[in-house]
């Protein structure tokens, strides 16, 4: 079992920044890839970014590329999502997820564990 706890959400003005954190505990050796997803009211959950633990390779959704940065701290079992130049359309609940698959996956069905989510609200 893997437990994921997100933090760092909040209210920010358009153009501002936030950094989300996802602390992992439990059977952390069982997963290889971490991802961030988001879900706005009335919309489906969508992929944001992913990173592999071993190599640190990253992949982003086109909508956040150049503005968001995913990173990890292996010693702390923590993944981060630095969000810059935020837009109102970035407002959503952001979820951290862990996958036992090797390599990138943008499909939420391929992630085995999920955090409880943290709210990000960007005002115009």
């Amino acid at each position: 079992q893997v437990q994921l706890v997100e933090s760092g959400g909040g209210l920010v003005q358009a153009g501002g920044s936030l950094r989300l954190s996802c602390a992992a505990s439990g059977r952390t050796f069982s997963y290889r890839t971490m991802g961030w997803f988001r879900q706005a009211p009335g919309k489906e959950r969508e992929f944001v970014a992913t990173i592999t633990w071993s190599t640190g390779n990253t992949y982003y959704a086109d909508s956040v590329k150049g503005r968001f940065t995913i990173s990890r701290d292996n010693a702390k079992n923590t993944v981060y999502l630095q969000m810059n130049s935020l837009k109102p359309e970035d407002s959503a609940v952001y979820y951290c997820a862990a996958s036992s698959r090797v390599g990138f996956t943008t499909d939420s069905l391929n992630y085995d564990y999920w955090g409880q989510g943290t709210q990000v609200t960007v005002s115009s």
Side-chain angles (χ1 to χ4, degrees):
Q1 192 76 356
V2 174
Q3 294 80 40
L4 303 174
V5 179
E6 302 101 331
S7 61
L11 173 64
V12 64
Q13 289 188 333
S17 299
L18 282 175
R19 190 177 82 154
L20 305 183
S21 299
C22 173
S25 61
R27 297 171 58 89
T28 57
F29 58 85
S30 65
Y31 57 89
R32 300 290 182 268
T33 300
M34 298 295 292
W36 285 97
F37 290 76
R38 65 187 182 187
Q39 188 167 19
K43 295 187 176 181
E44 293 188 353
R45 189 170 299 187
E46 65 172 353
F47 166 77
V48 175
T50 183
I51 187 168
T52 57
W53 276 112
S54 59
T55 63
N57 289 340
T58 59
Y59 182 78
Y60 298 91
D62 287 342
S63 58
V64 306
K65 199 173 296 182
R67 300 188 298 121
F68 290 11
T69 302
I70 188 172
S71 61
R72 91 277 193 234
D73 185 329
N74 293 49
K76 295 182 178 180
N77 283 330
T78 300
V79 174
Y80 304 97
L81 186 68
Q82 177 67 44
M83 305 185 294
N84 299 329
S85 302
L86 283 162
K87 306 174 181 180
E89 51 265 42
D90 293 319
S91 297
V93 177
Y94 282 71
Y95 297 91
C96 173
S99 173
S100 58
R101 289 174 176 258
V102 176
F104 296 141
T105 176
T106 63
D107 188 346
S108 62
L109 295 177
N110 291 331
Y111 286 81
D112 309 293
Y113 303 101
W114 293 82
Q116 82 288 351
T118 185
Q119 177 71 49
V120 171
T121 304
V122 184
S123 62
S124 57

